[in-house]
Amino acid sequence: MTDGAPPSARDMGSRAAGQILARFGCGELVERILPTLATTPLRAFRLYRSHISSPISRAESEYRTSLDELIEMCSLLSIVTGDIRAALDSYGAPTESIVQILCHPAVERYITVHYPMPYGIVARADLLGTLPRGLCERQQSERRSAEWATEIEAFFLFNAQILSDESLLNFLFLLDDHFVGGVHISELQLALANKEEMAAWLEDAGRAALLDGLERFLDFAEGLDHYLGNLDELPVLRGRVWFHYSYWFGHGGARIRETIAWLIGALEASGVVPDGHGSPTVELKAVFDRLTNPYHYCSDLIAQLDPLEITFLQPIA
Protein backbone atom coordinates (compact mmCIF):
# COMPACT_ATOMS: atom_id res chain seq x y z
CA MET A 1 0.00 0.00 0.00
CA THR A 2 2.52 2.58 -1.21
CA ASP A 3 0.18 5.18 -2.68
CA GLY A 4 1.76 8.17 -0.99
CA ALA A 5 -0.58 8.03 1.98
CA PRO A 6 0.95 9.12 5.30
CA PRO A 7 2.17 6.35 7.63
CA SER A 8 -0.84 6.82 9.92
CA ALA A 9 -3.20 6.07 7.04
CA ARG A 10 -1.20 3.05 5.84
CA ASP A 11 -0.90 1.67 9.37
CA MET A 12 -4.61 2.14 9.99
CA GLY A 13 -5.46 0.40 6.71
CA SER A 14 -3.14 -2.51 7.43
CA ARG A 15 -4.45 -3.07 10.96
CA ALA A 16 -8.04 -2.82 9.80
CA ALA A 17 -7.39 -5.27 6.95
CA GLY A 18 -6.12 -7.89 9.38
CA GLN A 19 -9.16 -7.45 11.61
CA ILE A 20 -11.56 -7.62 8.66
CA LEU A 21 -10.01 -10.82 7.29
CA ALA A 22 -10.16 -12.42 10.74
CA ARG A 23 -13.71 -11.23 11.42
CA PHE A 24 -15.08 -12.73 8.21
CA GLY A 25 -12.90 -15.84 8.18
CA CYS A 26 -11.68 -15.21 4.64
CA GLY A 27 -10.16 -18.63 3.99
CA GLU A 28 -13.21 -20.50 5.28
CA LEU A 29 -15.55 -18.38 3.15
CA VAL A 30 -13.57 -19.19 0.03
CA GLU A 31 -13.50 -22.90 0.87
CA ARG A 32 -17.30 -22.93 1.23
CA ILE A 33 -18.00 -21.00 -1.97
CA LEU A 34 -15.57 -22.54 -4.47
CA PRO A 35 -17.22 -26.00 -4.63
CA THR A 36 -20.56 -24.38 -5.47
CA LEU A 37 -18.99 -22.87 -8.57
CA ALA A 38 -17.08 -26.01 -9.58
CA THR A 39 -20.31 -27.78 -10.53
CA THR A 40 -22.07 -27.41 -13.87
CA PRO A 41 -22.89 -23.83 -14.94
CA LEU A 42 -26.60 -24.63 -14.64
CA ARG A 43 -26.24 -25.62 -10.97
CA ALA A 44 -24.18 -22.53 -10.16
CA PHE A 45 -26.72 -20.22 -11.82
CA ARG A 46 -29.51 -22.11 -10.05
CA LEU A 47 -27.91 -21.63 -6.62
CA TYR A 48 -27.19 -17.92 -7.12
CA ARG A 49 -30.61 -17.08 -8.56
CA SER A 50 -33.12 -14.45 -7.48
CA HIS A 51 -35.17 -15.69 -4.53
CA ILE A 52 -38.22 -13.57 -5.40
CA SER A 53 -39.81 -16.03 -7.84
CA SER A 54 -38.02 -19.16 -6.61
CA PRO A 55 -37.71 -19.63 -2.82
CA ILE A 56 -34.32 -20.55 -1.38
CA SER A 57 -33.79 -23.59 0.84
CA ARG A 58 -31.95 -23.34 4.16
CA ALA A 59 -28.88 -25.11 2.71
CA GLU A 60 -28.84 -22.80 -0.32
CA SER A 61 -29.21 -19.79 1.96
CA GLU A 62 -26.07 -20.74 3.87
CA TYR A 63 -23.99 -20.83 0.68
CA ARG A 64 -25.43 -17.55 -0.54
CA THR A 65 -24.77 -15.93 2.82
CA SER A 66 -21.13 -16.96 2.48
CA LEU A 67 -20.97 -15.21 -0.89
CA ASP A 68 -22.66 -12.10 0.53
CA GLU A 69 -20.13 -12.01 3.35
CA LEU A 70 -17.20 -12.40 0.94
CA ILE A 71 -18.45 -9.47 -1.13
CA GLU A 72 -18.98 -7.38 2.01
CA MET A 73 -15.48 -8.25 3.19
CA CYS A 74 -13.96 -7.22 -0.14
CA SER A 75 -15.84 -3.93 -0.08
CA LEU A 76 -14.54 -3.14 3.41
CA LEU A 77 -10.97 -4.04 2.45
CA SER A 78 -11.14 -1.89 -0.66
CA ILE A 79 -12.45 1.11 1.29
CA VAL A 80 -10.05 1.02 4.22
CA THR A 81 -6.86 0.05 2.34
CA GLY A 82 -7.21 1.59 -1.11
CA ASP A 83 -5.59 -1.55 -2.57
CA ILE A 84 -7.50 -4.73 -1.90
CA ARG A 85 -5.04 -7.01 -3.72
CA ALA A 86 -2.10 -5.75 -1.68
CA ALA A 87 -4.12 -6.17 1.52
CA LEU A 88 -5.10 -9.75 0.66
CA ASP A 89 -1.59 -10.71 -0.41
CA SER A 90 0.03 -9.17 2.67
CA TYR A 91 -2.00 -11.48 4.90
CA GLY A 92 -1.60 -14.58 2.76
CA ALA A 93 -5.27 -14.66 1.75
CA PRO A 94 -6.35 -16.77 -1.28
CA THR A 95 -6.41 -13.79 -3.63
CA GLU A 96 -6.70 -15.66 -6.92
CA SER A 97 -9.50 -17.84 -5.61
CA ILE A 98 -11.39 -14.69 -4.64
CA VAL A 99 -10.86 -13.35 -8.16
CA GLN A 100 -12.17 -16.65 -9.54
CA ILE A 101 -15.30 -16.37 -7.39
CA LEU A 102 -16.08 -12.72 -8.14
CA CYS A 103 -15.56 -13.21 -11.88
CA HIS A 104 -17.70 -16.35 -12.21
CA PRO A 105 -20.64 -15.69 -14.57
CA ALA A 106 -23.19 -16.82 -11.96
CA VAL A 107 -21.72 -14.41 -9.40
CA GLU A 108 -21.56 -11.67 -12.01
CA ARG A 109 -25.29 -12.02 -12.58
CA TYR A 110 -25.92 -12.25 -8.84
CA ILE A 111 -24.27 -8.88 -8.08
CA THR A 112 -25.39 -6.97 -11.18
CA VAL A 113 -28.89 -8.27 -12.00
CA HIS A 114 -30.51 -10.22 -9.15
CA TYR A 115 -29.15 -8.12 -6.28
CA PRO A 116 -27.38 -5.08 -7.70
CA MET A 117 -24.40 -4.40 -5.45
CA PRO A 118 -22.44 -1.29 -6.45
CA TYR A 119 -20.06 -1.91 -3.53
CA GLY A 120 -19.27 -5.39 -4.84
CA ILE A 121 -18.83 -4.20 -8.41
CA VAL A 122 -16.37 -1.49 -7.35
CA ALA A 123 -14.47 -3.81 -4.99
CA ARG A 124 -14.11 -6.36 -7.77
CA ALA A 125 -12.81 -3.69 -10.15
CA ASP A 126 -10.31 -2.63 -7.49
CA LEU A 127 -9.16 -6.25 -7.14
CA LEU A 128 -8.81 -6.64 -10.92
CA GLY A 129 -7.08 -3.28 -11.34
CA THR A 130 -9.81 -1.98 -13.65
CA LEU A 131 -11.06 1.00 -11.67
CA PRO A 132 -11.16 4.14 -13.84
CA ARG A 133 -7.83 5.94 -13.68
CA GLY A 134 -9.38 9.22 -12.60
CA LEU A 135 -11.08 7.52 -9.65
CA CYS A 136 -7.82 5.90 -8.55
CA GLU A 137 -6.11 9.27 -8.61
CA ARG A 138 -8.91 10.86 -6.58
CA GLN A 139 -8.77 8.05 -4.01
CA GLN A 140 -5.02 8.37 -3.66
CA SER A 141 -5.34 12.12 -3.21
CA GLU A 142 -7.89 11.64 -0.43
CA ARG A 143 -5.72 9.04 1.30
CA ARG A 144 -2.92 11.60 1.46
CA SER A 145 -5.14 14.13 3.22
CA ALA A 146 -4.87 14.86 6.93
CA GLU A 147 -8.50 13.85 7.53
CA TRP A 148 -8.46 10.44 5.92
CA ALA A 149 -7.05 8.28 8.72
CA THR A 150 -9.44 9.77 11.28
CA GLU A 151 -12.49 9.34 9.06
CA ILE A 152 -11.62 5.83 7.95
CA GLU A 153 -11.16 4.78 11.57
CA ALA A 154 -14.56 6.28 12.40
CA PHE A 155 -16.08 4.27 9.54
CA PHE A 156 -14.36 1.09 10.66
CA LEU A 157 -15.65 1.49 14.23
CA PHE A 158 -19.15 2.37 12.98
CA ASN A 159 -19.25 -0.77 10.86
CA ALA A 160 -17.91 -2.92 13.71
CA GLN A 161 -20.82 -1.77 15.88
CA ILE A 162 -23.26 -2.83 13.17
CA LEU A 163 -21.69 -6.27 12.81
CA SER A 164 -21.98 -6.85 16.56
CA ASP A 165 -25.59 -5.65 16.92
CA GLU A 166 -27.73 -8.80 16.80
CA SER A 167 -31.03 -6.91 17.01
CA LEU A 168 -30.12 -4.74 14.04
CA LEU A 169 -28.82 -7.68 12.00
CA ASN A 170 -32.03 -9.64 12.62
CA PHE A 171 -34.09 -6.68 11.47
CA LEU A 172 -31.95 -6.29 8.33
CA PHE A 173 -32.53 -9.98 7.65
CA LEU A 174 -36.27 -9.38 7.97
CA LEU A 175 -36.09 -6.54 5.45
CA ASP A 176 -34.14 -8.74 3.06
CA ASP A 177 -35.78 -12.14 3.49
CA HIS A 178 -39.22 -11.00 4.79
CA PHE A 179 -39.15 -13.84 7.35
CA VAL A 180 -37.06 -14.29 10.51
CA GLY A 181 -37.58 -16.12 13.78
CA GLY A 182 -41.07 -17.26 12.83
CA VAL A 183 -42.21 -13.70 12.05
CA HIS A 184 -43.16 -12.51 8.56
CA ILE A 185 -42.69 -8.89 7.60
CA SER A 186 -46.43 -8.63 6.88
CA GLU A 187 -47.02 -8.90 10.64
CA LEU A 188 -44.84 -5.85 11.23
CA GLN A 189 -46.68 -4.05 8.45
CA LEU A 190 -50.02 -4.69 10.17
CA ALA A 191 -48.67 -3.70 13.57
CA LEU A 192 -47.26 -0.40 12.32
CA ALA A 193 -50.54 0.39 10.60
CA ASN A 194 -52.67 -0.06 13.74
CA LYS A 195 -51.77 0.94 17.31
CA GLU A 196 -54.08 -1.70 18.78
CA GLU A 197 -52.46 -4.35 16.62
CA MET A 198 -49.07 -3.05 17.78
CA ALA A 199 -49.95 -3.53 21.48
CA ALA A 200 -51.07 -7.13 20.88
CA TRP A 201 -48.14 -7.83 18.58
CA LEU A 202 -45.61 -6.77 21.21
CA GLU A 203 -46.84 -9.36 23.69
CA ASP A 204 -44.51 -11.83 21.98
CA ALA A 205 -40.88 -11.39 23.04
CA GLY A 206 -39.50 -12.25 19.62
CA ARG A 207 -41.65 -9.61 17.99
CA ALA A 208 -40.67 -7.05 20.60
CA ALA A 209 -37.04 -7.80 19.73
CA LEU A 210 -37.77 -7.03 16.09
CA LEU A 211 -39.27 -3.69 17.08
CA ASP A 212 -36.05 -3.05 18.97
CA GLY A 213 -34.25 -3.95 15.76
CA LEU A 214 -36.35 -1.38 13.91
CA GLU A 215 -35.26 1.27 16.42
CA ARG A 216 -31.63 0.20 15.91
CA PHE A 217 -32.12 0.48 12.16
CA LEU A 218 -33.36 4.04 12.54
CA ASP A 219 -30.35 4.82 14.76
CA PHE A 220 -28.12 3.23 12.13
CA ALA A 221 -29.64 5.43 9.41
CA GLU A 222 -29.23 8.60 11.46
CA GLY A 223 -25.65 7.68 12.38
CA LEU A 224 -24.74 6.96 8.77
CA ASP A 225 -26.36 10.17 7.56
CA HIS A 226 -24.42 12.17 10.17
CA TYR A 227 -21.13 10.51 9.21
CA LEU A 228 -21.63 11.04 5.47
CA GLY A 229 -22.68 14.62 6.04
CA ASN A 230 -19.25 15.38 7.50
CA LEU A 231 -17.28 14.07 4.52
CA ASP A 232 -17.49 17.06 2.17
CA GLU A 233 -13.68 17.09 1.88
CA LEU A 234 -13.56 13.36 1.04
CA PRO A 235 -16.25 12.87 -1.62
CA VAL A 236 -14.88 9.58 -2.96
CA LEU A 237 -14.73 8.04 0.51
CA ARG A 238 -18.24 9.35 1.17
CA GLY A 239 -19.50 7.68 -2.01
CA ARG A 240 -17.74 4.39 -1.26
CA VAL A 241 -19.23 4.26 2.24
CA TRP A 242 -22.70 5.04 0.89
CA PHE A 243 -22.24 2.28 -1.70
CA HIS A 244 -21.33 -0.15 1.09
CA TYR A 245 -24.68 0.37 2.81
CA SER A 246 -26.80 1.21 -0.24
CA TYR A 247 -28.55 -2.18 -0.29
CA TRP A 248 -30.35 -1.32 2.95
CA PHE A 249 -31.67 1.91 1.49
CA GLY A 250 -33.42 0.38 -1.49
CA HIS A 251 -30.62 -0.27 -3.97
CA GLY A 252 -30.33 -4.05 -3.99
CA GLY A 253 -33.11 -5.02 -6.37
CA ALA A 254 -36.85 -4.50 -6.76
CA ARG A 255 -38.03 -6.18 -3.56
CA ILE A 256 -35.72 -4.39 -1.11
CA ARG A 257 -36.54 -1.17 -2.95
CA GLU A 258 -40.27 -1.75 -2.44
CA THR A 259 -39.70 -2.79 1.19
CA ILE A 260 -37.76 0.36 2.07
CA ALA A 261 -40.34 2.53 0.30
CA TRP A 262 -43.06 0.81 2.36
CA LEU A 263 -41.08 1.21 5.61
CA ILE A 264 -40.60 4.94 5.08
CA GLY A 265 -44.31 5.40 4.44
CA ALA A 266 -45.29 3.18 7.38
CA LEU A 267 -43.09 5.11 9.80
CA GLU A 268 -44.60 8.38 8.67
CA ALA A 269 -48.14 7.09 9.19
CA SER A 270 -47.67 4.92 12.27
CA GLY A 271 -47.17 7.47 15.02
CA VAL A 272 -44.32 5.35 16.40
CA VAL A 273 -42.53 8.69 16.84
CA PRO A 274 -44.27 12.08 17.22
CA ASP A 275 -45.17 13.98 14.08
CA GLY A 276 -45.18 17.69 13.35
CA HIS A 277 -42.74 20.40 12.29
CA GLY A 278 -39.28 19.72 13.65
CA SER A 279 -40.41 16.36 15.06
CA PRO A 280 -38.36 13.14 14.93
CA THR A 281 -40.65 11.84 12.16
CA VAL A 282 -39.99 14.85 9.93
CA GLU A 283 -36.26 14.70 10.61
CA LEU A 284 -36.20 10.96 9.98
CA LYS A 285 -37.92 11.39 6.64
CA ALA A 286 -35.23 13.90 5.67
CA VAL A 287 -32.58 11.35 6.66
CA PHE A 288 -34.15 8.66 4.48
CA ASP A 289 -34.64 11.12 1.62
CA ARG A 290 -30.89 11.69 1.64
CA LEU A 291 -29.86 8.05 2.12
CA THR A 292 -32.20 6.61 -0.53
CA ASN A 293 -31.06 9.13 -3.17
CA PRO A 294 -27.76 7.96 -4.69
CA TYR A 295 -27.00 11.42 -5.99
CA HIS A 296 -27.13 13.16 -2.63
CA TYR A 297 -23.96 11.65 -1.16
CA CYS A 298 -22.63 9.78 -4.16
CA SER A 299 -22.90 11.97 -7.26
CA ASP A 300 -19.15 12.61 -7.42
CA LEU A 301 -18.31 8.91 -7.25
CA ILE A 302 -21.03 7.87 -9.71
CA ALA A 303 -19.66 10.37 -12.22
CA GLN A 304 -16.28 8.63 -11.95
CA LEU A 305 -17.77 5.17 -12.50
CA ASP A 306 -19.36 5.45 -15.95
CA PRO A 307 -17.00 2.79 -17.40
CA LEU A 308 -18.38 0.27 -14.86
CA GLU A 309 -21.95 0.81 -16.10
CA ILE A 310 -23.59 1.19 -12.69
CA THR A 311 -26.86 2.34 -14.21
CA PHE A 312 -29.34 0.82 -11.75
CA LEU A 313 -29.04 3.48 -9.04
CA GLN A 314 -32.15 5.64 -8.97
CA PRO A 315 -33.75 7.69 -6.18
CA ILE A 316 -36.75 6.16 -4.42
CA ALA A 317 -39.81 8.28 -5.19
Side-chain angles (χ1 to χ4, degrees), residues 84-146:
I84 184 175
R85 181 176 284 273
L88 290 168
D89 289 346
S90 68
Y91 282 94
T95 306
E96 295 309 317
S97 292
I98 295 173
V99 170
Q100 180 184 347
I101 291 169
L102 296 182
C103 292
H104 191 281
V107 175
E108 162 78 18
R109 188 166 182 80
Y110 185 81
I111 68 174
T112 60
V113 178
H114 298 323
Y115 309 99
M117 302 178 186
Y119 56 95
I121 295 169
V122 175
R124 182 180 61 181
D126 181 12
L127 182 57
L128 296 175
T130 58
L131 283 175
R133 181 175 178 180
L135 174 58
C136 292
E137 292 173 351
R138 293 283 299 278
Q139 287 190 143
Q140 290 175 5
S141 176
E142 288 189 9
R143 282 175 57 80
R144 290 191 291 268
S145 72

Side-chain angles (χ1 to χ4, degrees), residues 24-77:
F24 283 88
C26 178
E28 295 176 0
L29 285 179
V30 169
E31 289 178 2
R32 283 199 296 270
I33 297 167
L34 276 178
T36 70
L37 301 175
T39 60
T40 64
L42 181 60
R43 287 184 177 179
F45 276 100
R46 169 69 181 168
L47 175 58
Y48 297 108
R49 65 192 183 276
S50 170
H51 71 299
I52 295 176
S53 57
S54 179
I56 306 299
S57 70
R58 182 181 295 273
E60 289 175 324
S61 179
E62 291 176 356
Y63 287 121
R64 291 157 64 96
T65 296
S66 294
L67 177 59
D68 292 340
E69 290 180 353
L70 181 73
I71 296 167
E72 181 182 358
M73 181 197 77
C74 288
S75 174
L76 288 170
L77 287 172

